[in-house]
Amino acid sequence: MADVEDIISRLKDRVDGLGGRVWGAAEFGALTATGQLPQVTPAAHVIPTGIKGGSQAARTGAYVQPIERLYSVVLTVKAGDASGARALPAIGELIDAIIAALAGWDWCGRVGVMTFRNCTLSRAAAGAFAYDISFSITDQLRFIPT
């Protein structure tokens, strides 16, 4: 997906702490299928998580509906200690940098700008942490029904 490639490129350009280790959903799927983590962290994976439709607007001859395109950036960090206490400041800085790289982004031709939704700890095991950092962007379906 071109959308995911755009987000990956932006994160690689703007979040130095990731060291260019940003991939898409296919790579993330391959890791999760085997229960593995990225070999080198921190690492991020960009995943399109859905499309949410708004109320359809009545227009003569056209179908118009606002939508939100939803994306997650899964940040994985191996902390080096079981509690993760030593890594928490660096993890916080990475999360802040990812949010700053994407939030407010006026992304080519979309109706709105990229909006930060939330950040949650999605996995913590054996000193490794995975955070789901969610974003959305307002867009629009607009076409002539046949």
Side-chain angles (χ1 to χ4, degrees):
M1 283 182 96
D3 289 356
V4 170
E5 291 304 319
D6 287 350
I7 296 169
I8 289 170
S9 179
R10 187 162 177 97
L11 290 172
K12 284 181 176 180
D13 289 346
R14 294 180 176 246
V15 184
D16 293 334
L18 291 172
R21 292 179 297 274
V22 186
W23 299 279
E27 293 83 357
F28 185 74
L31 287 173
T32 58
T34 60
Q36 295 180 0
L37 295 171
Q39 289 191 2
V40 178
T41 69
H45 291 85
V46 178
I47 303 166
T49 55
I51 300 172
K52 182 179 176 184
S55 298
Q56 187 266 334
R59 298 274 164 83
T60 304
Y63 182 87
V64 179
Q65 181 181 13
I67 60 172
E68 280 187 87
R69 296 184 184 277
L70 309 171
Y71 301 91
S72 283
V73 176
V74 178
L75 171 66
T76 305
V77 179
K78 293 177 189 173
D81 64 320
S83 72
R86 291 187 304 219
L88 288 178
I91 291 170
E93 290 173 9
L94 278 169
I95 291 169
D96 290 346
I98 289 168
I99 293 168
L102 297 179
W105 179 23
D106 186 8
W107 184 11
C108 338
R110 301 300 196 279
V111 172
V113 298
M114 188 71 89
T115 303
F116 168 70
R117 305 291 285 188
N118 62 29
C119 176
T120 58
L121 177 64
S122 58
R123 180 179 178 197
F129 299 90
Y131 291 86
D132 182 355
I133 309 165
S134 300
F135 297 89
S136 67
I137 189 163
T138 303
D139 205 350
Q140 187 180 77
L141 296 177
R142 185 181 197 85
F143 57 89
I144 307 298
T146 56

